[in-house]
Amino acid sequence: KDAKSSNESVESQVGRLPDGDKGRAHLLEIFTPKGFDHRDIVALSGAHTVGSCHLDRSGFDGPWTENPLKFDNSYFTEMLSKSYQQETTSKGNPQHRCSSTGTMMLISDLALLKQQEFRPHVEEFAKDQQAFFRAFDQAWVKLQENGVESSLRDTL
């Protein structure tokens, strides 16, 4: 059924994506009920290899990687190799910044390093970009098809 107005077309954004200022429990709360495992969560987080946070949109500020226009495994390699210091943005949000590069990580990003169920996947993806690409591909398809009763890929 098509929406008759914009009020019907988009459900609430609350709970659809994780909040950047929360850690492990929140990541699991958001993704586990949708059928994502730990590897999927880490792979999807790797999308942060591209783009930046913008104060006026999210209240967070800065790029995750030194080359935010390139999709690769640098999110993982940089996360493992850099040191980040906690700071608060001018909008009052907590984040972590690498002083030498200006890149940043959110609490939800660094939770991937602190938790034993996530860290092995971070390390694997940092070492093997193709493994990251394969895992991201599978998790992204799962995300796009989430809630769809039948797979269109089977009929296309």
Side-chain angles (χ1 to χ4, degrees):
K1 174 182 157 193
D2 289 336
K4 293 182 174 138
S5 74
S6 62
N7 293 335
E8 297 176 11
S9 65
V10 178
E11 65 184 64
S12 169
Q13 298 297 313
V14 175
R16 293 184 72 198
L17 292 173
D19 298 326
D21 62 348
K22 295 183 176 73
R24 172 197 177 275
H26 183 66
L27 289 170
L28 294 173
E29 178 184 318
I30 296 297
F31 286 111
T32 303
K34 296 176 176 86
F36 294 96
D37 63 22
H38 299 129
R39 184 178 176 83
D40 294 332
I41 294 168
V42 175
L44 288 172
S45 296
H48 288 170
T49 198
V50 293
S52 299
C53 289
H54 301 274
L55 274 173
D56 61 332
R57 296 182 197 145
S58 66
F60 299 104
D61 184 39
W64 285 272
T65 64
E66 292 180 46
N67 190 352
L69 299 179
K70 182 177 182 184
F71 188 77
D72 60 13
N73 66 339
S74 61
Y75 169 77
F76 303 109
T77 60
E78 291 184 30
M79 182 188 296
L80 287 168
S81 66
K82 293 180 178 178
S83 179
Y84 297 89
Q85 291 76 41
Q86 187 172 354
E87 66 178 20
T88 302
T89 69
S90 62
K91 297 285 186 178
N93 289 337
Q95 64 180 37
H96 295 78
R97 186 163 313 274
C98 175
S99 60
S100 63
T101 63
T103 57
M104 55 77 70
M105 290 284 165
L106 303 171
I107 291 171
S108 59
D109 297 310
L110 294 179
L112 303 178
L113 288 181
K114 295 178 183 175
Q115 303 303 318
Q116 190 55 39
E117 68 261 62
F118 295 135
R119 188 175 180 113
H121 305 297
V122 171
E123 292 172 350
E124 175 192 4
F125 298 156
K127 289 178 189 169
D128 186 347
Q129 182 167 270
Q130 291 307 311
F132 164 55
F133 287 166
R134 286 188 299 274
F136 183 83
D137 177 54
Q138 292 170 355
W140 183 255
V141 168
K142 189 187 292 188
L143 180 68
Q144 295 305 303
E145 293 178 351
N146 193 271
V148 176
E149 292 182 22
S150 65
S151 175
L152 287 176
R153 286 187 291 126
D154 295 339
T155 59
L156 295 177

